[in-house]
Amino acid sequence: MASIKALRNLPTLLRLSHGARLSRLYSSTAPSTYENILVTAPKPGVGLITLNRPRALNALSTALFQELNDALRQLDHDKSTGAIVLTGSEKAFAAGADIKEMEDLSFSEAFNTNFISSWSSTIPGVRTPLIAAVNGHALGGGCELALMADIIYCSSTATFGQPEIKLGIIPGAGGSQRLTEAIGKSRAMELILTGKNFSGTEAGQWGVAARVFDSAEACVQGAIDTAGRISDMSSVAVKAAKEVVNKSQDLPLRDGLEYERKVFHSLFGSRDQKIGMAAFTEKKKPEWSHE
């Protein structure tokens, strides 16, 4: 399998003519054994993972997640990668789980194999910031995958939803928990019990998405630009910031404040704290050591 570092030298088309297809944003790829994803480097410090099952509208499967988890681990351990963007196609971020993989499962098979646990086991442990750029359908597992990201960008025409109830099941990869956390119990309950979808515009209004764009191209480019800005920061401070924000979801306020203060204090032991404050005083751009 091609290493992530080898992808750094790949040319990537970033300037798009009017009406260009979304795929041109990440048309440069490296030969690899990945069959369900593409991994590229659109700019220094940024890794771009594109779900690539176009005939199945990027339907999620165990095979896809094995590749996605592997790519995420490689990028997370790559010191030259400061942020990661995850996207799909203009038609579908991921239109849901591959029903063919699960329709004949019995309870004992699903339970004994802990089915789909691998779908959500890796991303929470990734310390590098992850931005989901969502266009088209993000349904079922696709919506859950987007919700696992640290930041969600979407186009106004994107479609989110947890329609599992229509199949006689419920969300199984975090949808009932993360969606409720993002939009509140009442609204999440309505969506999950009815299988009703919601738009990219609503995702922005409800706080699911940080930014909403007019086009798929602008969405992906916006995510890449933000990832680039993040990668320009001290990786020590970035990882610490991501950690304390995530802790706010797990801890009571008082405990969270104490945790934040301890991490804040710890950063005074980093080289980058000295570099950053000296650069501010001297009115120059900091040159981070990432230590």
Side-chain angles (χ1 to χ4, degrees):
M1 184 177 298
S3 69
I4 296 298
K5 290 185 178 179
L7 299 172
R8 300 294 161 201
N9 298 321
L10 293 173
T12 305
L13 183 59
L14 293 176
R15 295 182 180 177
L16 298 175
S17 60
H18 180 71
R21 292 180 60 83
L22 177 62
S23 60
R24 295 179 62 189
L25 272 169
Y26 33 79
S27 59
S28 299
T29 61
S32 77
T33 57
Y34 290 142
E35 296 180 358
N36 300 293
I37 64 172
L38 304 174
V39 183
T40 55
K43 63 168 53 180
V46 177
L48 174 64
I49 302 176
T50 306
L51 305 183
N52 188 39
R53 297 188 68 198
R55 293 183 180 179
L57 294 179
N58 292 330
L60 302 174
S61 65
T62 298
L64 183 149
F65 267 99
Q66 288 174 341
E67 295 182 1
L68 176 59
N69 290 343
D70 180 72
L72 285 168
R73 282 190 291 265
Q74 287 197 51
L75 287 168
D76 194 33
H77 292 136
D78 180 13
K79 293 182 179 180
S80 65
T81 299
I84 305 167
V85 175
L86 174 64
T87 193
S89 67
E90 187 169 358
K91 290 184 178 180
F93 176 75
D98 192 336
I99 302 302
K100 293 179 181 178
E101 184 178 359
M102 63 176 70
E103 61 181 335
D104 294 326
L105 278 178
S106 66
F107 164 74
S108 61
E109 288 173 324
F111 183 75
N112 287 332
T113 62
N114 206 9
F115 180 59
I116 77 169
S117 62
S118 63
W119 294 24
S120 57
S121 61
T122 296
I123 292 177
V126 172
R127 301 179 71 199
T128 305
L130 176 64
I131 304 173
V134 179
N135 297 296
H137 299 297
L139 304 175
C143 184
E144 291 171 309
L145 177 58
L147 289 168
M148 292 180 211
D150 299 305
I151 301 170
I152 297 177
Y153 283 0
C154 69
S155 55
S156 58
T157 55
T159 303
F160 296 84
Q162 301 290 166
E164 290 88 349
I165 200 77
K166 298 178 180 179
L167 301 176
I169 56 173
I170 64 170
S176 66
Q177 306 303 301
R178 293 189 176 95
L179 185 61
T180 302
E181 186 175 73
I183 66 176
K185 176 185 174 182
S186 182
R187 184 170 278 157
M189 191 72 81
E190 177 192 29
L191 294 172
I192 291 171
L193 294 183
T194 65
K196 180 182 176 183
N197 296 335
F198 59 99
S199 69
T201 298
E202 289 171 319
Q205 294 170 344
W206 297 349
V208 175
R211 292 181 62 188
V212 180
F213 297 82
D214 292 333
S215 69
E217 292 91 341
C219 174
V220 176
Q221 189 61 61
I224 291 170
D225 290 344
T226 295
R229 287 193 289 274
I230 293 171
S231 69
D232 286 340
M233 306 298 176
S234 161
S235 63
V236 177
V238 165
K239 287 180 171 65
K242 171 174 172 171
E243 183 175 323
V244 295
V245 172
N246 282 336
K247 279 293 183 181
S248 74
Q249 307 300 298
D250 302 327
L251 298 175
L253 179 59
R254 182 174 180 177
D255 293 341
L257 292 171
E258 291 180 358
Y259 186 86
E260 177 193 65
R261 191 175 303 112
K262 289 178 181 178
V263 176
F264 170 74
H265 290 162
S266 73
L267 289 176
F268 284 86
S270 71
R271 287 185 62 193
D272 281 349
Q273 175 267 326
K274 303 298 186 291
I275 291 170
M277 292 191 175
F280 179 83
T281 301
E282 298 167 12
K283 298 182 179 180
K284 65 180 184 180
K285 183 177 180 179
E287 296 183 6
W288 305 114
S289 68
H290 304 296
E291 295 177 358

